[in-house]
Amino acid sequence: MSGGIWKKGILVVLVAALLLIPQQLLAGRPKVEAAAAVLIDARTGKVLWQVEGDRALPAAGMSQLMTQWLILDAVRSGRVDWEDSVRVGGKKQAVQVSSGHGSRSDAGLMLRADDKIPLNELFMGLAVSSSGEAGQALARYTAGSEASFAWMMNEKAHRIGLSASTLFKPDRAGTADADAQELPGGSRITAKDAAVMCRELIQSHPEMLRMSSVTQTEIRSRGIYLTNRNAMLPDFAGPHAYRGMDGLKAYGSDKDGYSLAGTAQRGDQRLIVVIMGAESREKSFQAAGRLLDYGYARSGSFAERAASWLKLV
């Protein structure tokens, strides 16, 4: 009996503390090791936390998200169809196949100029494993050239209110002339703009969450499976899995750093987190998890505030 009373007393004290301590103090300041980071409320667009949010950084992954947005627009309007056969074009390239939770294997999917791949398979290759070559093929098919498609991306960025610091250019990731296309000459985006873009994309195409949260997708035309690089997806059940995470993209390299544009929903609250330029893929996941915990500790339900606070302290 005394043990039960003792436990109830502890619970009462904890409840009182959670209700009386200011939320900002309760949540603390999360430790984020990255070049830039932003956390926003998806419903209101309010910035909940940010560091170097206006700094323009390499935007390979966000360029791919914008590519997916324009493809979804084109499918919705009827200009292209998921079953269309897309001629790859360009030079012979190897698409690296992801073989684990964010890792890359030495094996590659060889795309030749005369290859014809179903549009839906190229789209999922881009969404799940960030295949730059798939993105290039989709851009050429949709707009006639990568340059024309880049113009479409910048026009979309302008319409949704992204800043002048953000600029999209033809994607050359993974190709022989990639070095010539990187910053200062390549695509760039700020973490704030990336968060805004993710919010607008989800609102315009909610199906994007379903597409970007699958752990594996089959490329039937090659007889292979591609594994999602976002190790925060709950179905992976690994050390970085985060409850409620359901998109959007993890990407990066040793040269430019590792980044994540992610979103999680718990109850009625959806948060969007952007991490850019972390030293490793693991650190990008860790930073994203801390920021999401911070957001739910500040403004989630009572149960979410309590659980998130306990993870932060």
Side-chain angles (χ1 to χ4, degrees), residues 124-195:
M124 291 305 296
L126 179 62
V128 170
S129 68
S130 298
S131 164
E133 290 75 15
Q136 293 161 28
L138 289 169
R140 287 190 292 266
Y141 181 75
T142 305
S145 71
E146 293 168 61
S148 296
F149 196 84
W151 182 89
M152 292 170 60
M153 289 195 289
N154 287 308
E155 177 66 17
K156 173 74 80 173
H158 176 73
R159 289 204 307 270
I160 64 175
L162 302 193
S163 71
S165 298
T166 290
L167 179 67
F168 295 108
K169 290 196 173 184
D171 182 7
R172 295 292 180 181
T175 63
D177 55 348
D179 291 341
Q181 294 294 330
E182 294 177 355
L183 279 178
S187 299
R188 60 181 183 266
I189 196 168
T190 68
K192 282 184 180 178
D193 281 352

Side-chain angles (χ1 to χ4, degrees), residues 230-267:
N230 185 359
M232 297 188 74
L233 294 173
D235 285 347
F236 280 132
H240 302 297
Y242 193 88
R243 183 168 60 86
M245 173 69 68
D246 54 5
L248 297 159
K249 181 178 288 291
Y251 61 97
S253 66
D254 289 341
K255 181 176 182 179
D256 293 332
Y258 293 87
S259 304
L260 173 81
T263 181
Q265 180 160 346
R266 292 182 177 179

Side-chain angles (χ1 to χ4, degrees), residues 170-296:
D171 182 7
R172 295 292 180 181
T175 63
D177 55 348
D179 291 341
Q181 294 294 330
E182 294 177 355
L183 279 178
S187 299
R188 60 181 183 266
I189 196 168
T190 68
K192 282 184 180 178
D193 281 352
V196 170
M197 188 181 117
C198 289
R199 177 174 181 252
E200 296 290 333
L201 171 54
I202 292 170
Q203 290 181 345
S204 179
H205 293 283
E207 68 271 25
M208 185 63 203
L209 295 176
R210 172 178 53 81
M211 293 173 166
S212 64
S213 62
V214 298
T215 56
Q216 274 193 336
T217 187
E218 182 182 8
I219 307 298
R220 294 184 179 180
S221 58
R222 286 294 179 272
I224 65 167
Y225 287 87
L226 302 180
T227 301
N228 202 313
R229 296 187 186 182
N230 185 359
M232 297 188 74
L233 294 173
D235 285 347
F236 280 132
H240 302 297
Y242 193 88
R243 183 168 60 86
M245 173 69 68
D246 54 5
L248 297 159
K249 181 178 288 291
Y251 61 97
S253 66
D254 289 341
K255 181 176 182 179
D256 293 332
Y258 293 87
S259 304
L260 173 81
T263 181
Q265 180 160 346
R266 292 182 177 179
D268 295 331
Q269 185 176 29
R270 176 172 293 281
L271 300 177
I272 295 172
V273 61
V274 174
I275 305 295
M276 300 186 72
E279 290 184 0
S280 67
R281 200 177 305 277
E282 290 71 23
K283 286 188 176 181
S284 72
F285 297 144
Q286 291 167 1
R290 292 190 190 104
L291 279 189
L292 289 169
D293 284 339
Y294 172 77
Y296 286 118

Side-chain angles (χ1 to χ4, degrees), residues 11 14-15 17-19 26-27 242-243 266 269 289-313:
L11 180 60
L14 178 59
V15 170
L18 289 170
L19 293 176
L26 181 66
Y242 193 88
R243 183 168 60 86
R266 292 182 177 179
Q269 185 176 29
R290 292 190 190 104
L291 279 189
L292 289 169
D293 284 339
Y294 172 77
Y296 286 118
R298 284 187 57 184
S299 54
S301 65
F302 174 79
E304 292 295 346
R305 292 204 310 270
S308 298
W309 173 71
L310 290 173
K311 291 175 68 176
L312 286 167
V313 297

Side-chain angles (χ1 to χ4, degrees), residues 11-141:
L11 180 60
V12 170
V13 171
L14 178 59
V15 170
L18 289 170
L19 293 176
L20 296 175
I21 298 175
Q23 291 178 350
Q24 290 80 0
L25 178 61
L26 181 66
R29 298 293 291 177
K31 181 181 179 181
V32 174
E33 299 179 13
V38 168
L39 176 72
I40 69 170
D41 185 300
R43 182 179 63 83
T44 65
K46 179 181 178 181
V47 176
L48 304 178
W49 192 93
Q50 67 94 20
V51 59
E52 298 287 347
D54 295 316
R55 178 183 177 187
L57 292 164
M62 296 309 299
S63 178
Q64 291 180 353
L65 274 181
M66 181 62 87
T67 296
Q68 292 168 241
W69 190 344
L70 293 180
I71 297 302
L72 290 169
D73 283 350
V75 171
R76 177 179 289 174
S77 68
R79 290 189 291 114
V80 301
D81 187 87
W82 289 121
E83 301 303 321
D84 287 354
S85 182
V86 178
R87 183 177 181 273
V88 171
K91 298 179 181 179
K92 184 177 181 180
Q93 300 294 342
V95 178
Q96 295 296 321
V97 179
S98 178
S99 60
H101 297 177
S103 64
R104 292 174 75 89
S105 72
D106 293 329
L109 171 65
M110 299 303 294
L111 295 182
R112 299 174 298 273
D114 59 347
D115 277 345
K116 291 185 177 180
I117 311 287
L119 186 144
N120 65 317
E121 292 188 6
L122 286 174
F123 184 92
M124 291 305 296
L126 179 62
V128 170
S129 68
S130 298
S131 164
E133 290 75 15
Q136 293 161 28
L138 289 169
R140 287 190 292 266
Y141 181 75

